[in-house]
């Protein structure tokens, strides 16, 4: 089966391409680095020729409100048009648990717009909602840092390893379209501030993590369960401490 992975040279995409190839599939990494640009449309027709599945794990280079909306809507429209013309019969997109509850954030408004375009198309689809990745500890901390202090809401979070995200997306991509949303999450619950504190401590990062219920999360104020999956989510295996204990190059 030929699967085209949009964003196939990134964190999740590269892992997904490798995993699919290990299982005997023709997995093609598509990104500007490989001559495929979903904003301009460059290379889309050629790369999608003969593809059964498109998997979009790409991300916006900017999280600012206007650019991120432009990225996800333009990219998704171009992809859907090209996929329809190529006869693709399964469109898979990676999104985020809680997207629909985070409308104060421009990034998550853009992800919602992306999902709406996919749902409105005539192509059978699966949208994968994943919780935050262990690999995002530093970027979450960076976005919440003021001076030497990291302010984060003491809300619940159930993060997972990027390897497990790639596994979940791969299983869904080679399966039957669900024409809906599948949630995937890690095996453990944490408080967001405690997770980031533990992650920074493991890297000898001296910043102080302070719980603050009004601290915004990429522009949105969080409720206790805003970032949590529903009870039927598919759970991954790797625990945070196990991930932290890996060699630095693997995490």
């Amino acid at each position: 089966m030929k699967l085209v992975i949009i964003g196939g040279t990134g964190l999740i995409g590269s892992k997904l391409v490798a995993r699919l190839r290990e299982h005997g599939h023709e997995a093609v990494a598509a990104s500007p680095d490989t001559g495929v640009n979903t904003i301009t449309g460059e290379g889309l027709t050629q790369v999608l020729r003969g593809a059964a599945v498109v998997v979009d794990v790409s991300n916006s280079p900017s999280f600012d409100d206007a650019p991120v909306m432009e990225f996800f809507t333009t990219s998704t429209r171009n992809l859907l048009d090209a996929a329809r013309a190529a006869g693709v019969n399964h469109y898979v997109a990676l999104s985020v648990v809680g997207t629909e509850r985070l409308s104060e954030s421009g990034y998550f408004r853009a992800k919602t717009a992306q999902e709406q375009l996919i749902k409105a198309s005539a192509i059978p689809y699966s949208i994968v909602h994943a919780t935050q990745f262990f690999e995002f500890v530093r970027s979450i901390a960076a976005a919440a840092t003021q001076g030497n202090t990291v302010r984060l809401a003491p809300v619940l979070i159930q993060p997972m390893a990027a390897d497990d995200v790639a596994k979940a997306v791969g299983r869904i991509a080679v399966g039957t379209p669900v024409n809906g949303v599948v949630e995937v999450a890690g095996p453990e619950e944490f408080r967001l501030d405690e997770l980031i504190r533990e992650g920074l401590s493991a890297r000898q990062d001296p910043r102080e993590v302070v719980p603050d219920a009004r601290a915004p999360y990429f522009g949105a104020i969080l409720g206790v369960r805003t970032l949590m999956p529903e009870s039927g989510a598919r759970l991954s295996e790797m625990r945070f401490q196990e991930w932290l204990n890996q060699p630095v190059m693997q995490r």
Side-chain angles (χ1 to χ4, degrees):
M1 181 190 300
K2 180 178 177 180
L3 303 94
V4 175
I5 315 304
I6 306 298
T9 57
L11 173 64
I12 300 299
S14 58
K15 295 176 183 293
L16 178 57
V17 167
R19 175 162 290 277
L20 290 170
R21 288 175 179 171
E22 286 172 3
H23 286 80
H25 298 288
E26 181 187 355
V28 180
S31 72
D33 290 341
T34 67
V36 179
N37 190 314
T38 57
I39 300 300
T40 65
E42 177 189 1
L44 276 179
T45 298
Q46 294 86 345
V47 79
L48 291 178
R49 191 172 292 125
V53 183
V54 168
V55 185
D56 185 6
V57 295
S58 63
N59 207 354
S60 173
S62 170
F63 282 18
D64 291 340
D65 288 5
V68 73
M69 181 63 77
E70 177 67 18
F71 175 85
F72 280 118
T73 54
T74 300
S75 175
T76 302
R77 287 191 182 101
N78 288 341
L79 269 172
L80 288 168
D81 288 346
R84 191 179 301 109
V88 167
N89 54 37
H90 191 183
Y91 191 105
V92 181
L94 178 61
S95 193
V96 187
V97 164
T99 289
E100 69 284 0
R101 300 187 290 269
L102 290 160
S103 59
E104 292 175 71
S105 164
Y107 179 84
F108 290 103
R109 287 196 299 273
K111 292 297 288 182
T112 296
Q114 176 193 33
E115 294 184 25
Q116 289 171 342
L117 288 168
I118 295 166
K119 292 173 182 177
S121 78
I123 304 173
Y125 70 92
S126 302
I127 296 173
V128 183
H129 274 192
T131 53
Q132 291 69 26
F133 311 163
F134 297 152
E135 287 81 356
F136 289 170
V137 164
R138 282 181 289 184
S139 59
I140 291 172
T145 296
Q146 300 172 336
N148 198 44
T149 301
V150 183
R151 295 189 178 277
L152 290 163
V155 300
L156 294 177
I157 188 171
Q158 200 166 328
M160 61 192 298
D163 278 334
D164 285 336
V165 176
K167 289 178 188 177
V169 173
R171 284 193 291 266
I172 291 163
V174 300
T176 303
V178 301
N179 292 315
V181 174
V182 177
E183 288 193 329
V184 296
E188 304 169 282
E189 290 185 12
F190 294 86
R191 248 177 50 177
L192 177 58
D193 57 315
E194 293 174 348
L195 173 77
I196 303 304
R197 184 181 295 111
E198 184 175 346
L200 294 181
S201 175
R203 294 183 170 88
Q204 289 79 50
D205 190 311
R207 282 176 289 177
E208 179 186 11
V209 179
V210 176
D212 180 350
R214 300 301 298 171
Y217 179 82
F218 296 100
I221 300 300
L222 301 177
V224 173
R225 298 192 63 83
T226 300
L227 302 178
M228 290 291 287
E230 301 297 329
S231 58
R234 302 180 186 183
L235 301 186
S236 58
E237 296 180 1
M238 185 173 288
R239 294 175 177 270
F240 188 48
Q241 193 59 54
E242 179 185 356
W243 180 82
L244 285 174
N245 288 339
Q246 292 180 321
V248 173
M249 290 300 293
Q250 291 183 250
R251 56 181 169 86

